[in-house]
Amino acid sequence: LLNSATTALMGNADSRTLIEAIMQEVVDAAGACGYPLPTGFAGKLLAATERMPDYLPSMYHDFALQRPLELHAIYAAPLAAAAKVGCAMPRTEMLYQSLRYLVQRQP
C-alpha cells in the first residue's frame, strides 16, 4: 500500500507505529477468536523482520504484476471472524478497503 520495502517501513516512526498497531489488532483478534498468541509475539515478529534483508512483500509483487491479491483469505475472512466475536479491527479494515480500492483502479 505504501510502495515501500521493509527497511524503510521499519525505519520510519510513523509507519512503524502503524505496523505495530495493525499487528496488535491481529493479536487481539486471534485471542478473541480463541487462538491466543504468546505474550510479545508481535514484537518478536518485528525483531525478526529487522534482522532480515530488505524485501517487498508478496502482495506487492502480485499487485505490480496485476495478479489477483488474496484479499479474501488475508483480510475479509479474518475481519469477518473477528466481527463475529465482537472484536473490531479498524486499522486492518482500513487497509483492506484501501487495497480493494487500488485493485479496482487497476486497468
Side-chain angles (χ1 to χ4, degrees):
L1 182 64
L2 298 177
N3 196 29
S4 298
T6 55
T7 299
L9 291 168
M10 298 292 285
N12 176 274
D14 291 323
S15 58
R16 174 78 181 234
T17 298
L18 180 59
I19 291 164
E20 290 170 351
I22 292 170
M23 290 181 77
Q24 190 59 53
E25 282 186 0
V26 171
V27 168
D28 293 345
C33 290
Y35 302 98
L37 297 171
T39 301
F41 181 74
K44 289 177 185 176
L45 290 179
L46 287 170
T49 299
E50 288 178 323
R51 291 189 302 271
M52 296 172 72
D54 195 27
Y55 70 92
L56 292 161
S58 62
M59 191 175 289
Y60 171 90
H61 295 286
D62 290 340
F63 182 79
L65 297 172
Q66 296 188 349
R67 294 189 297 228
L69 304 186
E70 298 172 301
L71 296 181
H72 178 76
I74 296 172
Y75 292 97
L79 283 166
K84 188 175 181 179
V85 296
C87 181
M89 299 178 72
R91 290 175 185 90
T92 306
E93 188 167 1
M94 180 277 306
L95 182 56
Y96 174 52
Q97 291 167 331
S98 298
L99 289 166
R100 285 182 34 208
Y101 170 77
L102 291 175
V103 167
Q104 292 167 8
R105 290 196 55 198
Q106 280 186 321

